[in-house]
Amino acid sequence: MSDKKDAITMLHGAGGTVMHNLVKNYIVKYFGESCANAEVPLEAMDDAAVVGNIVLKSDSHAVKPIFFPGGDIGRIAISGTVNDIAALGAEPYALACGLILEEAWLFLTLNGFY
């Protein structure tokens, strides 16, 4: 079994320094130069990319429980994405949907998102 230092932990998805280092050291080095002419490139490690007149933002979350007092992961994901776009002075135009679905998750649970 590997040491925790050699494996992904929940901290890597928490949005802090540990996540920043993961993206910088393991993702940017492979994809960073693909948009070298972007106004806000991946290397900027900003909340969204700016290419031409488009602000592009993507987010994915995995939390337990997905429904909790005061909200659910769907509302948090959309609110966070729209907020990051607005923080760059852009107006949301379209929304992409990425799902992280756990094996044995009940189809009935999907009815809770609207």
Side-chain angles (χ1 to χ4, degrees):
M1 188 168 183
S2 66
D3 187 345
K4 276 200 171 199
K5 291 181 186 177
D6 298 330
I8 300 293
T9 69
M10 292 296 284
L11 285 174
H12 289 99
T17 304
V18 174
M19 181 176 171
H20 179 89
N21 289 337
L22 170 74
V23 172
K24 180 180 175 186
N25 297 326
Y26 292 95
I27 298 182
V28 171
K29 74 178 186 179
Y30 294 110
F31 295 103
E33 294 180 17
S34 62
C35 264
N37 60 345
E39 289 84 354
V40 180
L42 188 57
E43 291 89 353
M45 297 291 292
D46 208 328
D47 284 336
V50 179
V51 181
N53 292 327
I54 297 173
V55 175
L56 179 64
K57 169 66 179 176
S58 175
D59 245 333
S60 298
H61 304 275
V63 298
K64 278 190 177 180
I66 57 170
F67 298 101
F68 41 84
D72 60 68
I73 191 56
R75 292 174 197 270
I76 287 176
I78 290 171
S79 297
T81 299
V82 169
N83 182 67
D84 289 346
I85 290 170
L88 286 172
E91 185 175 318
Y93 176 76
L95 185 65
C97 178
L99 301 174
I100 301 169
L101 300 176
E102 188 177 321
E103 186 176 24
W105 210 47
L106 300 176
F107 288 111
L108 182 63
T109 308
L110 290 172
N111 290 331
F113 297 105
Y114 51 90

